[in-house]
Amino acid sequence: RRKAFDLLDAISRSGTLSIDCAELHIIVGVAHCFENDCMGTIIQDNVNPIEKVEKSSLMIAGTIFGESTKKLIADKTQLERVQNVFPQLL
């Protein structure tokens, strides 16, 4: 955080250069590790890797936006599916 503010300070020349229009983009990197390869995860472990990634994405989005998972999903069909797959998430 300190480094980000130091960079902003350097770019704006300690506030002497005005920044009239700016956007802030934040990238959140996430890695998912499975004990087996993709086919082994699906067949041997009987785990859908896409559902695990979806659950993580919903948890991260809820944290970033400060909203419940229900408010993040607009489509009622998808909300019902998520409720069936991840009842503890809602």
Side-chain angles (χ1 to χ4, degrees):
R1 184 176 183 186
R2 184 75 238 151
K3 288 182 180 182
F5 282 117
D6 289 344
L7 177 61
L8 184 60
D9 190 47
I11 291 171
S12 69
R13 296 186 188 160
S14 298
T16 59
L17 254 178
S18 66
I19 300 174
D20 297 328
C21 182
E23 292 182 12
L24 174 66
H25 298 267
I26 298 173
I27 298 172
V28 178
V30 178
H32 289 81
C33 297
F34 299 97
E35 291 183 25
N36 294 322
D37 60 2
C38 190
M39 291 305 291
T41 300
I42 295 169
I43 295 169
Q44 294 174 348
D45 298 340
N46 196 26
V47 172
N48 184 347
I50 295 172
E51 288 178 352
K52 290 190 88 162
V53 172
E54 182 180 36
K55 181 180 179 183
S56 298
S57 298
L58 287 170
M59 291 170 61
I60 291 170
T63 302
I64 290 172
F65 293 111
E67 295 286 344
S68 68
T69 307
K70 285 183 179 182
K71 290 184 179 180
L72 294 173
I73 303 172
D75 185 12
K76 288 185 179 184
T77 307
Q78 293 299 322
L79 182 59
E80 290 174 5
R81 183 187 60 79
V82 170
Q83 284 176 331
N84 290 334
V85 177
F86 314 118
Q88 73 281 7
L89 192 59
L90 303 173

